Amino acid sequence: MPIEQFSMEMVNFATLAPMLVLVLGGMFILIIDLFQKLDRGFYVTVTMMTLALALGLLLFYGVQGHGFFDVMLVDGIALASQMIIIGASLLFIPLAMTGVRFMEFKFAEFYALFLFMVAGFAFMVSSDNLIMIFIGLETGSLALYTLIAMHRRDKSLEAAIKYFTMGGAAAALFAFGAMLLYAATGSVEIRTIEEVLVSSGFANLPLVLAGSAFLLAGLGFKLSVVPFHTWTPDVYEGASAPLAGYMSIVPKIAAFVVLLRLFDFLVQSPDGIIYWLLWIAAVATMTIGNILALVQDGVKRMLAYSSVSHAGFVLTAVVMGTTQAHTGIFLYWALFLFTNLGAFAMLWISRHPSKVWDIRYDHPYKKFAGMVHISPVGAVVMAVFMLSLAGIPPFALFWGKLYLISAAVNSGHLVLALIMLANSAIAVYYYLKLIIYMFLHDPEENDNTVYYQNGTVPLKIVLGVAAVAVSLSFLAIDPMLNLFGDLVAASGF
Amino acid sequence: MITLEHYLALSAILFAIGMFGIMRRQNLLMLFFSVEIALNSVNIGFIAAAYYLGDMTGQIFAFFVIAVAASEVAVGLGLLILMYKRKGTLDLNAIKNMHG
């Protein structure tokens, strides 16, 4: 390769702009902290402004193209997933303004690490270079382990250590898979790998298959694909509720985008081995996640298993491989963002370090018994999120499920569509169980303060935004489909 | 004659040792060593592949894997010290509260 003349066009800073803003915001918080210890309100404001600036850059100046010497690739799916990542972060960060003062939100490092994590995941989705994807994945994950451990409880330490060891294994698996693909094709750029494999008719097939399997396993840990889902309920239970909600959205959409880039062409391998591998992984993930969610006693663990199941549901879109299905990934995940973050925020509002209901669980079902008598608004809001997760019209996830199932039918995957329908039906049971507890059972204890111990105005605003978004989502489906459809089609997926 | 396959086999064996350690070790420090073995086995594969393909990218990837492994240890040791301060042991069974 000849040494090219350096030019600023090769850097193409516009593709880097949102991540640069995020990193600079994080560094600004760290520098301010050196000189002056400030209140968490200040840090939350700076973080939100940084995120809003990054989102603005993305929405109004979002350029598509290569940058930073071809390492960055900002295409439609990169923009769409960055919107989801930064949107989820904007909804997450006000949840730090709790009524009860938790230790971790006092530290400036929490906000700096948070911004670095968002930048890491944004880098991960906007590159087709496996080195960059690996670095982005690790930047995001390492910051996330620390954020989990900063919640000062024994359970959080356990969760952080579990997530860390699983993440270490995932990093090793991902790197090993990348190495095998590199040995087979001589490139770490996904588009070059695709060219080499398609033009040579999948030469070195055993190496390619092994590499794909390792990459699927590495990303599967982040996506909580069965059989790599075992950490999910423990980590979600140990982490603070908003962080658990955040974890169920942001690392997963980042991993989905990488999976989409890789497996969009790998599923075409001869004999369909990779196709059936993904098919089985998707079906097992949604079914086993659902069945395990049925038998949980804690609402947080139930939501953890339900998010495993939702990830499996969306994984089917990668199996189908049509543009409609790929658009469905982003539609589903944008709707899932509001629903799941809202549900976890509802748990967060009712959390208190010393007032516990159960030794084992922070949020057992019985805590919510008769909630409609104590706080009708809270019960209705929680019910809206549960109905949306269950896929009952007209709430948000119904449209996502409908769109993905219709994509399955349109692409001729009738068996897959039937399995998806059956799983949606099973899932209704455990979501309605919570609604029955809230509306039809008598309260265990008549104490007005219990459901809003942690509630402050910022938390209620987040909940309100999520509840309104979930209830009125039918107005937004068409514009969202147009936006995501254009972005996905523009990048050729 | 040592070919690329030999190096890939060595890499795979070391990787399997690392993965086995991650699954079986009860001591947190030993578990970190296992993660390191797994990550460094990848480096052997990358550098061998880069050498036989006559391409630099693999070596660059190996450098990045080393950097990631180092930062992973930095975070991991932080967690390890936190655990030792609270529990006085590095045995993973000591922090097993959540199950089911």
Side-chain angles (χ1 to χ4, degrees):
Chain A
M1 197 191 295
I3 296 165
E4 289 164 73
Q5 201 67 41
F6 176 85
S7 73
M8 283 310 279
E9 271 142 50
M10 290 160 71
V11 181
N12 198 359
F13 268 110
T15 57
L16 284 167
M19 293 74 133
L20 282 182
V21 166
L22 292 170
V23 172
L24 287 177
M27 282 154 90
F28 174 71
I29 289 176
L30 281 183
I31 291 167
I32 288 285
D33 179 58
L34 278 180
F35 300 109
Q36 179 100 45
K37 299 286 170 211
L38 285 160
D39 191 53
R40 65 183 171 158
F42 172 78
Y43 297 130
V44 169
T45 317
V46 171
T47 312
M48 284 198 72
M49 274 160 51
T50 311
L51 288 166
L53 190 59
L55 189 65
L57 279 173
L58 209 60
L59 287 177
F60 302 110
Y61 298 97
V63 286
Q64 304 192 12
H66 293 278
F68 215 76
F69 312 102
D70 266 9
V71 174
M72 301 284 296
L73 167 66
V74 179
D75 54 1
I77 58 171
L79 285 179
S81 49
Q82 280 183 36
M83 285 171 201
I84 293 176
I85 289 171
I86 296 178
S89 309
L90 266 176
L91 266 187
F92 167 85
I93 206 70
L95 296 176
M97 302 297 293
T98 46
V100 182
R101 298 209 162 228
F102 289 95
M103 277 292 279
E104 71 255 43
F105 302 125
K106 269 198 239 159
F107 298 114
E109 287 86 352
F110 183 90
Y111 305 94
L113 278 170
F114 180 76
L115 285 173
F116 294 151
M117 172 183 68
V118 178
F121 286 124
F123 271 122
M124 182 180 165
V125 296
S126 41
S127 174
D128 76 339
N129 188 315
L130 287 172
I131 300 178
M132 191 68 207
I133 292 172
F134 183 62
I135 299 294
L137 173 70
E138 286 306 299
T139 313
S141 303
L142 288 173
L144 188 51
Y145 308 142
T146 324
L147 291 183
I148 296 170
M150 282 178 92
H151 195 57
R152 291 173 78 94
R153 313 169 68 190
D154 277 0
K155 269 186 183 173
S156 301
L157 177 65
E158 183 187 353
I161 287 175
K162 276 183 178 168
Y163 197 30
F164 178 83
T165 48
M166 288 296 138
L173 285 165
F174 186 89
F176 198 75
M179 188 270 280
L180 291 178
L181 273 190
Y182 175 67
T185 62
S187 177
V188 292
E189 281 183 334
I190 294 175
R191 62 177 181 278
T192 320
I193 295 174
E194 181 178 2
E195 273 167 26
V196 170
L197 285 181
V198 171
S199 65
S200 67
F202 283 83
N204 291 328
L205 192 61
L207 270 185
V208 175
L209 287 182
S212 317
F214 278 107
L215 283 172
L216 179 61
L219 292 170
F221 270 111
K222 295 288 159 203
L223 284 173
S224 63
V225 169
V226 172
F228 309 112
H229 70 289
T230 44
W231 57 272
T232 320
D234 292 354
V235 172
Y236 285 19
E237 193 190 337
S240 65
L243 209 50
Y246 191 80
M247 257 190 285
S248 71
I249 296 156
V250 169
K252 287 192 179 181
I253 186 66
F256 267 127
V257 169
V258 177
L259 203 71
L260 189 58
R261 288 186 195 283
L262 277 167
F263 284 83
D264 191 42
F265 65 92
L266 285 173
V267 287
Q268 296 156 8
S269 72
D271 310 335
I273 298 172
I274 296 176
Y275 172 85
W276 286 109
L277 200 66
L278 267 179
W279 197 94
I280 292 166
V283 169
T285 306
M286 65 179 151
T287 315
I288 292 175
N290 259 339
I291 289 170
L292 289 171
L294 286 178
V295 297
Q296 297 303 318
D297 296 321
V299 175
K300 211 167 167 190
R301 282 184 89 83
M302 180 274 275
L303 283 174
Y305 277 115
S306 102
S307 69
V308 171
S309 168
H310 284 284
F313 202 89
V314 175
L315 193 56
T316 57
V318 184
V319 179
M320 292 173 223
T322 57
T323 305
Q324 190 193 3
H326 294 156
T327 311
I329 297 180
F330 296 101
L331 177 72
Y332 195 99
W333 223 252
L335 299 171
F336 187 59
L337 183 173
F338 288 105
T339 313
N340 221 29
L341 213 56
F344 276 103
M346 213 43 221
L347 298 182
W348 187 228
I349 265 195
S350 63
R351 163 107 153 74
H352 195 282
S354 51
K355 291 183 195 162
V356 286
W357 283 76
D358 192 272
I359 302 162
R360 175 68 181 78
Y361 300 110
D362 288 332
H363 310 283
Y365 276 101
K366 65 169 194 252
K367 176 174 174 177
F368 296 91
M371 188 172 171
V372 72
H373 303 296
I374 302 164
S375 62
V377 180
V380 169
V381 167
M382 190 66 168
V384 165
F385 293 137
M386 286 301 124
L387 290 174
S388 170
L389 283 171
I392 291 177
F395 298 110
L397 275 182
F398 166 72
W399 306 102
K401 285 186 193 238
L402 190 72
Y403 195 75
L404 273 183
I405 291 173
S406 77
V409 174
N410 286 344
S411 59
H413 291 82
L414 287 179
V415 180
L416 209 54
L418 282 177
I419 296 172
M420 286 156 89
L421 274 175
N423 269 300
S424 305
I426 300 172
V428 171
Y429 171 81
Y430 54 82
Y431 296 126
L432 285 189
K433 191 170 152 193
L434 182 62
I435 293 182
I436 287 169
Y437 263 92
M438 288 192 300
F439 285 85
L440 301 178
H441 284 227
D442 287 326
E444 295 264 322
E445 209 172 298
N446 263 321
D447 180 2
N448 266 330
T449 59
V450 77
Y451 293 108
Y452 290 128
Q453 289 154 341
N454 216 354
T456 53
V457 175
L459 266 75
K460 285 175 189 165
I461 290 175
V462 170
L463 266 179
V465 168
V468 169
V470 168
S471 316
L472 298 181
S473 57
F474 59 90
L475 295 173
I477 297 296
D478 260 347
M480 275 165 89
L481 272 180
N482 286 336
L483 174 70
F484 289 141
D486 287 348
L487 287 173
V488 169
S491 45
F493 283 96
Chain B
M1 179 65 190
I2 298 173
T3 60
L4 179 57
E5 277 72 26
H6 291 97
Y7 282 110
L8 288 186
L10 173 68
S11 169
I13 291 166
L14 284 174
F15 187 80
I17 293 172
M19 274 295 152
F20 184 75
I22 292 173
M23 282 183 272
R24 297 297 302 169
R25 284 291 187 177
Q26 295 298 313
N27 185 303
L28 193 56
L29 200 55
M30 289 299 155
L31 209 152
F32 288 169
F33 280 130
S34 305
V35 175
E36 289 299 301
I37 292 171
L39 278 171
N40 281 312
S41 78
V42 176
N43 290 342
I44 294 176
F46 262 121
I47 291 165
Y51 178 76
Y52 280 92
L53 291 166
D55 181 53
M56 286 297 283
T57 326
Q59 299 193 20
I60 293 165
F61 205 140
F63 272 119
F64 276 104
V65 172
I66 293 169
V68 164
S71 40
E72 203 150 301
V73 166
V75 171
L77 287 182
L79 289 175
L80 185 140
I81 290 168
L82 191 62
M83 176 178 168
Y84 191 75
K85 270 188 185 163
R86 288 209 199 149
K87 299 284 174 189
T89 171
L90 293 180
D91 191 3
L92 286 176
N93 292 316
I95 53 163
K96 230 165 98 183
N97 292 316
M98 293 182 284
H99 52 81

